[in-house]
Amino acid sequence: MKNKILIVGGYGAVGSIIADNLSKKFPSQIIIAGRNLSKAKKTAEKLHHKVIPYQLDINNITDFSIINDVQLVIMCLDQPNISFVEYCISKNIHYIDISAQYKTLKSIENLKSLAIENK
């Protein structure tokens, strides 16, 4: 059953606030991920272990197994491309992007037909 929320950049300034708020409503269902596992673990400790720390570099993913239990991805960092977004959409995973780069957001917007196709 897909019941987890993955926050990429979940230990950063914005991501950690989102993680803190969501962990109160969905304890042990929030995964905070980024390239630095140590930072993810420190944030998990600050949040009283209500979140799950995970190491994930979206630019070099070889193992997508973390996505198997995820129903929603919240992206809190800028991406060089949208391949991760495309993967999420193709697996029927809801996706929210709060990055600040117009080019990236416009590219994601162009995936509308793929999103509709995958419901």
PDB file of all heavy atoms in Angstrom, residues 5-7 15-30 47 50-51 72 74 96:
ATOM      1  N   ILE A   5       5.086   9.670   2.174  1.00  0.00           N
ATOM      2  CA  ILE A   5       5.349  10.942   1.510  1.00  0.00           C
ATOM      3  C   ILE A   5       6.855  11.128   1.490  1.00  0.00           C
ATOM      4  O   ILE A   5       7.490  11.100   2.547  1.00  0.00           O
ATOM      5  CB  ILE A   5       4.665  12.113   2.243  1.00  0.00           C
ATOM      6  CG1 ILE A   5       3.145  11.914   2.266  1.00  0.00           C
ATOM      7  CG2 ILE A   5       5.045  13.445   1.604  1.00  0.00           C
ATOM      8  CD1 ILE A   5       2.406  12.892   3.161  1.00  0.00           C
ATOM      9  N   LEU A   6       7.406  11.290   0.310  1.00  0.00           N
ATOM     10  CA  LEU A   6       8.842  11.498   0.140  1.00  0.00           C
ATOM     11  C   LEU A   6       9.106  12.978  -0.068  1.00  0.00           C
ATOM     12  O   LEU A   6       8.563  13.584  -0.993  1.00  0.00           O
ATOM     13  CB  LEU A   6       9.347  10.699  -1.066  1.00  0.00           C
ATOM     14  CG  LEU A   6      10.786  10.945  -1.514  1.00  0.00           C
ATOM     15  CD1 LEU A   6      11.784  10.538  -0.432  1.00  0.00           C
ATOM     16  CD2 LEU A   6      11.067  10.201  -2.814  1.00  0.00           C
ATOM     17  N   ILE A   7       9.927  13.544   0.809  1.00  0.00           N
ATOM     18  CA  ILE A   7      10.315  14.945   0.671  1.00  0.00           C
ATOM     19  C   ILE A   7      11.777  14.964   0.249  1.00  0.00           C
ATOM     20  O   ILE A   7      12.663  14.655   1.048  1.00  0.00           O
ATOM     21  CB  ILE A   7      10.114  15.739   1.979  1.00  0.00           C
ATOM     22  CG1 ILE A   7       8.672  15.614   2.461  1.00  0.00           C
ATOM     23  CG2 ILE A   7      10.502  17.202   1.769  1.00  0.00           C
ATOM     24  CD1 ILE A   7       8.417  16.233   3.828  1.00  0.00           C
ATOM     25  N   GLY A  15      12.283  22.210   3.272  1.00  0.00           N
ATOM     26  CA  GLY A  15      11.881  20.813   3.406  1.00  0.00           C
ATOM     27  C   GLY A  15      11.702  20.371   4.840  1.00  0.00           C
ATOM     28  O   GLY A  15      10.779  19.614   5.164  1.00  0.00           O
ATOM     29  N   SER A  16      12.564  20.838   5.731  1.00  0.00           N
ATOM     30  CA  SER A  16      12.454  20.421   7.136  1.00  0.00           C
ATOM     31  C   SER A  16      11.211  20.996   7.810  1.00  0.00           C
ATOM     32  O   SER A  16      10.625  20.355   8.680  1.00  0.00           O
ATOM     33  CB  SER A  16      13.717  20.790   7.918  1.00  0.00           C
ATOM     34  OG  SER A  16      13.906  22.190   7.942  1.00  0.00           O
ATOM     35  N   ILE A  17      10.797  22.175   7.397  1.00  0.00           N
ATOM     36  CA  ILE A  17       9.557  22.758   7.938  1.00  0.00           C
ATOM     37  C   ILE A  17       8.356  21.945   7.452  1.00  0.00           C
ATOM     38  O   ILE A  17       7.448  21.629   8.232  1.00  0.00           O
ATOM     39  CB  ILE A  17       9.421  24.243   7.543  1.00  0.00           C
ATOM     40  CG1 ILE A  17      10.498  25.067   8.243  1.00  0.00           C
ATOM     41  CG2 ILE A  17       8.024  24.773   7.873  1.00  0.00           C
ATOM     42  CD1 ILE A  17      10.629  26.487   7.743  1.00  0.00           C
ATOM     43  N   ILE A  18       8.365  21.591   6.185  1.00  0.00           N
ATOM     44  CA  ILE A  18       7.286  20.762   5.637  1.00  0.00           C
ATOM     45  C   ILE A  18       7.272  19.409   6.350  1.00  0.00           C
ATOM     46  O   ILE A  18       6.215  18.911   6.751  1.00  0.00           O
ATOM     47  CB  ILE A  18       7.458  20.586   4.117  1.00  0.00           C
ATOM     48  CG1 ILE A  18       7.259  21.929   3.408  1.00  0.00           C
ATOM     49  CG2 ILE A  18       6.480  19.542   3.574  1.00  0.00           C
ATOM     50  CD1 ILE A  18       7.648  21.928   1.943  1.00  0.00           C
ATOM     51  N   ALA A  19       8.452  18.813   6.515  1.00  0.00           N
ATOM     52  CA  ALA A  19       8.555  17.516   7.198  1.00  0.00           C
ATOM     53  C   ALA A  19       8.025  17.599   8.622  1.00  0.00           C
ATOM     54  O   ALA A  19       7.297  16.699   9.074  1.00  0.00           O
ATOM     55  CB  ALA A  19      10.002  17.036   7.189  1.00  0.00           C
ATOM     56  N   ASP A  20       8.381  18.650   9.320  1.00  0.00           N
ATOM     57  CA  ASP A  20       7.928  18.824  10.703  1.00  0.00           C
ATOM     58  C   ASP A  20       6.407  18.887  10.759  1.00  0.00           C
ATOM     59  O   ASP A  20       5.770  18.188  11.553  1.00  0.00           O
ATOM     60  CB  ASP A  20       8.548  20.089  11.294  1.00  0.00           C
ATOM     61  CG  ASP A  20       8.188  20.305  12.756  1.00  0.00           C
ATOM     62  OD1 ASP A  20       7.989  19.310  13.489  1.00  0.00           O
ATOM     63  OD2 ASP A  20       8.101  21.475  13.173  1.00  0.00           O
ATOM     64  N   ASN A  21       5.817  19.693   9.898  1.00  0.00           N
ATOM     65  CA  ASN A  21       4.362  19.842   9.902  1.00  0.00           C
ATOM     66  C   ASN A  21       3.648  18.555   9.499  1.00  0.00           C
ATOM     67  O   ASN A  21       2.678  18.152  10.145  1.00  0.00           O
ATOM     68  CB  ASN A  21       3.935  20.994   8.995  1.00  0.00           C
ATOM     69  CG  ASN A  21       4.218  22.344   9.629  1.00  0.00           C
ATOM     70  OD1 ASN A  21       3.741  22.628  10.707  1.00  0.00           O
ATOM     71  ND2 ASN A  21       5.011  23.158   8.965  1.00  0.00           N
ATOM     72  N   LEU A  22       4.126  17.901   8.466  1.00  0.00           N
ATOM     73  CA  LEU A  22       3.475  16.667   8.015  1.00  0.00           C
ATOM     74  C   LEU A  22       3.674  15.516   8.993  1.00  0.00           C
ATOM     75  O   LEU A  22       2.793  14.664   9.139  1.00  0.00           O
ATOM     76  CB  LEU A  22       3.984  16.273   6.624  1.00  0.00           C
ATOM     77  CG  LEU A  22       3.520  17.149   5.469  1.00  0.00           C
ATOM     78  CD1 LEU A  22       4.164  16.696   4.166  1.00  0.00           C
ATOM     79  CD2 LEU A  22       2.000  17.132   5.347  1.00  0.00           C
ATOM     80  N   SER A  23       4.827  15.485   9.676  1.00  0.00           N
ATOM     81  CA  SER A  23       5.092  14.376  10.597  1.00  0.00           C
ATOM     82  C   SER A  23       4.145  14.387  11.798  1.00  0.00           C
ATOM     83  O   SER A  23       3.921  13.354  12.422  1.00  0.00           O
ATOM     84  CB  SER A  23       6.543  14.400  11.077  1.00  0.00           C
ATOM     85  OG  SER A  23       6.777  15.498  11.939  1.00  0.00           O
ATOM     86  N   LYS A  24       3.584  15.526  12.104  1.00  0.00           N
ATOM     87  CA  LYS A  24       2.622  15.606  13.204  1.00  0.00           C
ATOM     88  C   LYS A  24       1.304  14.925  12.838  1.00  0.00           C
ATOM     89  O   LYS A  24       0.642  14.336  13.677  1.00  0.00           O
ATOM     90  CB  LYS A  24       2.378  17.065  13.587  1.00  0.00           C
ATOM     91  CG  LYS A  24       3.606  17.707  14.210  1.00  0.00           C
ATOM     92  CD  LYS A  24       3.442  19.191  14.387  1.00  0.00           C
ATOM     93  CE  LYS A  24       4.750  19.777  14.926  1.00  0.00           C
ATOM     94  NZ  LYS A  24       4.773  21.222  14.894  1.00  0.00           N
ATOM     95  N   LYS A  25       0.962  15.008  11.573  1.00  0.00           N
ATOM     96  CA  LYS A  25      -0.288  14.394  11.102  1.00  0.00           C
ATOM     97  C   LYS A  25      -0.064  12.968  10.595  1.00  0.00           C
ATOM     98  O   LYS A  25      -0.948  12.122  10.687  1.00  0.00           O
ATOM     99  CB  LYS A  25      -0.901  15.251  10.000  1.00  0.00           C
ATOM    100  CG  LYS A  25      -2.242  14.770   9.554  1.00  0.00           C
ATOM    101  CD  LYS A  25      -3.010  15.815   8.813  1.00  0.00           C
ATOM    102  CE  LYS A  25      -4.337  15.224   8.380  1.00  0.00           C
ATOM    103  NZ  LYS A  25      -5.458  16.059   8.604  1.00  0.00           N
ATOM    104  N   PHE A  26       1.134  12.702  10.044  1.00  0.00           N
ATOM    105  CA  PHE A  26       1.445  11.397   9.464  1.00  0.00           C
ATOM    106  C   PHE A  26       2.760  10.848  10.026  1.00  0.00           C
ATOM    107  O   PHE A  26       3.739  10.681   9.293  1.00  0.00           O
ATOM    108  CB  PHE A  26       1.554  11.508   7.939  1.00  0.00           C
ATOM    109  CG  PHE A  26       0.365  12.136   7.269  1.00  0.00           C
ATOM    110  CD1 PHE A  26       0.410  13.448   6.833  1.00  0.00           C
ATOM    111  CD2 PHE A  26      -0.802  11.406   7.088  1.00  0.00           C
ATOM    112  CE1 PHE A  26      -0.683  14.029   6.204  1.00  0.00           C
ATOM    113  CE2 PHE A  26      -1.903  11.982   6.473  1.00  0.00           C
ATOM    114  CZ  PHE A  26      -1.850  13.298   6.029  1.00  0.00           C
ATOM    115  N   PRO A  27       2.823  10.573  11.332  1.00  0.00           N
ATOM    116  CA  PRO A  27       4.080  10.085  11.908  1.00  0.00           C
ATOM    117  C   PRO A  27       4.517   8.764  11.281  1.00  0.00           C
ATOM    118  O   PRO A  27       3.690   7.912  10.974  1.00  0.00           O
ATOM    119  CB  PRO A  27       3.742   9.913  13.395  1.00  0.00           C
ATOM    120  CG  PRO A  27       2.260   9.828  13.464  1.00  0.00           C
ATOM    121  CD  PRO A  27       1.735  10.604  12.301  1.00  0.00           C
ATOM    122  N   SER A  28       5.818   8.654  11.054  1.00  0.00           N
ATOM    123  CA  SER A  28       6.450   7.463  10.470  1.00  0.00           C
ATOM    124  C   SER A  28       6.032   7.195   9.026  1.00  0.00           C
ATOM    125  O   SER A  28       6.266   6.112   8.508  1.00  0.00           O
ATOM    126  CB  SER A  28       6.187   6.229  11.326  1.00  0.00           C
ATOM    127  OG  SER A  28       6.692   6.439  12.632  1.00  0.00           O
ATOM    128  N   GLN A  29       5.411   8.168   8.375  1.00  0.00           N
ATOM    129  CA  GLN A  29       5.051   8.028   6.965  1.00  0.00           C
ATOM    130  C   GLN A  29       5.793   9.033   6.091  1.00  0.00           C
ATOM    131  O   GLN A  29       5.606   9.039   4.882  1.00  0.00           O
ATOM    132  CB  GLN A  29       3.541   8.199   6.777  1.00  0.00           C
ATOM    133  CG  GLN A  29       2.735   7.095   7.418  1.00  0.00           C
ATOM    134  CD  GLN A  29       1.246   7.326   7.247  1.00  0.00           C
ATOM    135  OE1 GLN A  29       0.771   8.451   7.204  1.00  0.00           O
ATOM    136  NE2 GLN A  29       0.504   6.239   7.146  1.00  0.00           N
ATOM    137  N   ILE A  30       6.621   9.859   6.705  1.00  0.00           N
ATOM    138  CA  ILE A  30       7.347  10.893   5.973  1.00  0.00           C
ATOM    139  C   ILE A  30       8.796  10.447   5.801  1.00  0.00           C
ATOM    140  O   ILE A  30       9.479  10.131   6.772  1.00  0.00           O
ATOM    141  CB  ILE A  30       7.315  12.246   6.738  1.00  0.00           C
ATOM    142  CG1 ILE A  30       5.883  12.630   7.124  1.00  0.00           C
ATOM    143  CG2 ILE A  30       8.006  13.333   5.926  1.00  0.00           C
ATOM    144  CD1 ILE A  30       4.918  12.761   5.976  1.00  0.00           C
ATOM    145  N   LEU A  47      13.340  15.885  14.806  1.00  0.00           N
ATOM    146  CA  LEU A  47      11.890  15.701  14.690  1.00  0.00           C
ATOM    147  C   LEU A  47      11.419  14.478  15.481  1.00  0.00           C
ATOM    148  O   LEU A  47      10.356  13.923  15.200  1.00  0.00           O
ATOM    149  CB  LEU A  47      11.491  15.589  13.213  1.00  0.00           C
ATOM    150  CG  LEU A  47      11.797  16.819  12.355  1.00  0.00           C
ATOM    151  CD1 LEU A  47      11.411  16.582  10.904  1.00  0.00           C
ATOM    152  CD2 LEU A  47      11.087  18.055  12.906  1.00  0.00           C
ATOM    153  N   LYS A  50      10.086  10.973  14.002  1.00  0.00           N
ATOM    154  CA  LYS A  50       8.773  10.800  13.385  1.00  0.00           C
ATOM    155  C   LYS A  50       8.884  10.741  11.870  1.00  0.00           C
ATOM    156  O   LYS A  50       7.893  10.547  11.176  1.00  0.00           O
ATOM    157  CB  LYS A  50       7.839  11.947  13.784  1.00  0.00           C
ATOM    158  CG  LYS A  50       7.443  11.925  15.244  1.00  0.00           C
ATOM    159  CD  LYS A  50       6.501  13.065  15.549  1.00  0.00           C
ATOM    160  CE  LYS A  50       6.165  13.094  17.022  1.00  0.00           C
ATOM    161  NZ  LYS A  50       5.339  14.248  17.366  1.00  0.00           N
ATOM    162  N   VAL A  51      10.109  10.954  11.352  1.00  0.00           N
ATOM    163  CA  VAL A  51      10.369  10.880   9.916  1.00  0.00           C
ATOM    164  C   VAL A  51      11.443   9.829   9.665  1.00  0.00           C
ATOM    165  O   VAL A  51      12.204   9.480  10.562  1.00  0.00           O
ATOM    166  CB  VAL A  51      10.795  12.245   9.329  1.00  0.00           C
ATOM    167  CG1 VAL A  51       9.711  13.292   9.531  1.00  0.00           C
ATOM    168  CG2 VAL A  51      12.110  12.716   9.944  1.00  0.00           C
ATOM    169  N   LEU A  72       3.145  10.299  -2.629  1.00  0.00           N
ATOM    170  CA  LEU A  72       3.357  11.712  -2.926  1.00  0.00           C
ATOM    171  C   LEU A  72       4.830  12.058  -2.779  1.00  0.00           C
ATOM    172  O   LEU A  72       5.459  11.663  -1.797  1.00  0.00           O
ATOM    173  CB  LEU A  72       2.531  12.583  -1.956  1.00  0.00           C
ATOM    174  CG  LEU A  72       2.806  14.085  -1.951  1.00  0.00           C
ATOM    175  CD1 LEU A  72       2.431  14.725  -3.283  1.00  0.00           C
ATOM    176  CD2 LEU A  72       2.075  14.760  -0.802  1.00  0.00           C
ATOM    177  N   ILE A  74       7.291  15.435  -2.649  1.00  0.00           N
ATOM    178  CA  ILE A  74       7.397  16.891  -2.553  1.00  0.00           C
ATOM    179  C   ILE A  74       8.852  17.238  -2.824  1.00  0.00           C
ATOM    180  O   ILE A  74       9.743  16.840  -2.070  1.00  0.00           O
ATOM    181  CB  ILE A  74       6.970  17.405  -1.159  1.00  0.00           C
ATOM    182  CG1 ILE A  74       5.536  16.973  -0.848  1.00  0.00           C
ATOM    183  CG2 ILE A  74       7.121  18.926  -1.089  1.00  0.00           C
ATOM    184  CD1 ILE A  74       5.077  17.295   0.571  1.00  0.00           C
ATOM    185  N   ILE A  96       4.563  17.256  -6.155  1.00  0.00           N
ATOM    186  CA  ILE A  96       4.497  18.697  -5.891  1.00  0.00           C
ATOM    187  C   ILE A  96       5.914  19.229  -5.973  1.00  0.00           C
ATOM    188  O   ILE A  96       6.830  18.671  -5.364  1.00  0.00           O
ATOM    189  CB  ILE A  96       3.917  18.990  -4.485  1.00  0.00           C
ATOM    190  CG1 ILE A  96       2.480  18.493  -4.380  1.00  0.00           C
ATOM    191  CG2 ILE A  96       4.003  20.492  -4.174  1.00  0.00           C
ATOM    192  CD1 ILE A  96       1.917  18.575  -2.967  1.00  0.00           C
TER     193      ILE A  96
END
